[in-house]
Amino acid sequence: MSIERLSPTASPDEVADVLGRDGCVVVERVVDAAVLDRARAELAPYLEATPFGPDEFSGRRTRRTGGLVARSATCRELVMHPLVLGAVRGVLGHATSVQLHLTQVIAIGPDEPAQQIHRDQWAFDFFPFPSGYEVQCNTIWAMTDFTERNGATRVIPGSHRDEDRKEFAHEDTEPAEMPAGSVLFYTGSLYHGAGANRSTAVRAGINITYAVSWLRQEENQYLSCSAEIARELPDDLLRLMGYQRGAYALGYVDDMRDPLEALRGGTAMGVGLGDLDATLARLRAR
Ligand SMILES: O=C(O)CCC(=O)C(=O)O
Ligand SMILES: [Fe+2]
């Protein structure tokens, strides 16, 4: 099975449909490469200051720079991109709400070997989610062109339906080659890994991932972005970062205050997103 490629005019539903079928899809040239250059310029001091990874999985010749919401206005636009949010909501629509899970530039240096093939949802302590029950939906925005030679992400289309903790060989994988400005979408259940960088240049991508809002976020959004910066951000972005109750009660503040209200210094209780009675009725009707 080869990687399906869509044009930037694809609808969020089309992207979500392919994700349901294959677990991954490339949408080419979603934004102009200049947008990614702008993000790179905003992040330059942080990218330069980031050390190499401490282990093989993170990559000893790879720099991972996070906190992108706080550090880059352009990355906020990527986080909130309508095609991405629509597709994510399509894949994770069984949950009451979704949240931002992590933001990270992954810059893979020359001579980095291939990363171990894995499922990103193993981060949830290897909980064996039922096949077909997606809890995570991910993007990698190509900052540079992604090529077989420079370490394009290796994916196994269709593997989102495979058994858990499976082992794959390099020959089972395909490189998600794409020009800068394109996006690789993949579910948390898809087996994949960063490719080996056999070129002389850095391969850079922006990994922005989303999850159902009843799971713990991989990147702590409340501490990665200070309250001072958060107070300047728009409500819809803040809600996605977690300033909103997940389901009925997850994440309320003290006397059941709404988290966004608490950030802004207000006292309103707000209401949980999932009306408990309505949710139970919906589930019983299934
Ligand atoms: O950078 C990539 O191509 C993928 C990295 C990855 O899958 C990960 O670190 O979990
Ligand atoms: Fe991964």
Side-chain angles (χ1 to χ4, degrees):
M1 193 191 270
S2 59
I3 304 168
E4 172 96 37
R5 288 167 182 279
L6 297 176
S7 78
T9 55
S11 70
D13 286 349
E14 283 172 78
V15 175
D17 284 350
V18 181
L19 282 168
R21 191 191 67 200
D22 298 350
C24 60
V25 58
V26 167
V27 185
E28 291 186 339
R29 297 191 165 89
V30 176
V31 296
D32 200 279
V35 174
L36 278 305
D37 290 342
R38 199 168 74 216
R40 187 199 298 275
E42 290 162 1
L43 293 167
Y46 306 103
L47 298 174
E48 281 156 26
T50 305
F52 286 126
D55 55 35
E56 268 172 34
F57 189 80
S58 288
R60 295 185 199 280
R61 294 180 184 80
T62 296
R63 298 180 204 274
R64 291 169 184 265
T65 308
L68 305 187
V69 170
R71 293 171 166 175
S72 157
T74 302
C75 287
R76 287 172 210 150
E77 288 170 27
L78 302 182
V79 165
M80 297 301 288
H81 194 285
L83 177 65
V84 172
L85 286 187
V88 166
R89 292 196 168 116
V91 172
L92 304 178
H94 52 84
T96 308
S97 59
V98 300
Q99 65 186 353
L100 186 62
H101 189 48
L102 70 81
T103 62
Q104 189 177 87
V105 173
I106 304 179
I108 304 180
D111 298 326
E112 178 72 275
Q115 187 186 36
Q116 190 200 329
I117 298 297
H118 62 278
R119 283 181 153 160
D120 281 353
Q121 68 188 32
W122 285 348
F124 299 114
D125 214 12
F126 289 91
F127 183 80
F129 295 104
S131 176
Y133 189 83
E134 299 298 346
V135 292
Q136 197 181 341
C137 187
N138 307 325
T139 59
I140 300 183
W141 294 79
M143 286 182 110
T144 58
D145 291 344
F146 273 37
T147 64
E148 211 277 312
R149 195 168 150 72
N150 77 2
T153 314
R154 316 265 336 171
V155 298
I156 304 164
S159 62
H160 60 318
R161 302 283 182 184
D162 277 326
E163 73 208 46
D164 212 16
R165 306 195 195 187
K166 196 167 166 180
E167 285 187 41
F168 287 94
H170 178 80
E171 305 70 65
D172 302 322
T173 69
E174 293 180 41
E177 294 196 300
M178 52 183 176
S182 307
V183 184
L184 166 67
F185 289 79
Y186 62 104
T187 63
S189 54
L190 187 87
Y191 284 93
H192 70 284
N197 188 346
R198 292 176 288 102
S199 78
T200 52
V202 171
R203 188 233 72 179
I206 304 185
N207 193 200
I208 300 176
T209 74
Y210 307 81
V212 296
S213 54
W214 51 268
L215 284 166
R216 181 149 196 211
Q217 287 155 309
E218 201 161 325
E219 179 183 51
N220 187 316
Q221 298 301 321
Y222 312 102
L223 293 172
S224 299
C225 179
S226 69
E228 196 185 5
I229 295 177
R231 281 190 199 101
E232 303 297 320
L233 300 177
D235 287 0
D236 52 356
L237 173 57
L238 288 169
R239 287 197 192 96
L240 189 68
M241 289 165 70
Y243 290 90
Q244 144 177 290
R245 285 196 215 168
Y248 183 67
L250 303 174
Y252 73 80
V253 178
D254 50 48
D255 310 325
M256 295 202 75
R257 270 193 303 160
D258 178 75
L260 192 52
E261 182 76 8
L263 176 73
R264 303 224 185 275
T267 54
M269 277 181 149
V271 282
L273 276 177
D275 173 284
L276 207 51
D277 293 333
T279 307
L280 283 174
R282 187 161 52 90
L283 292 176
R284 285 187 183 121
R286 269 189 198 167

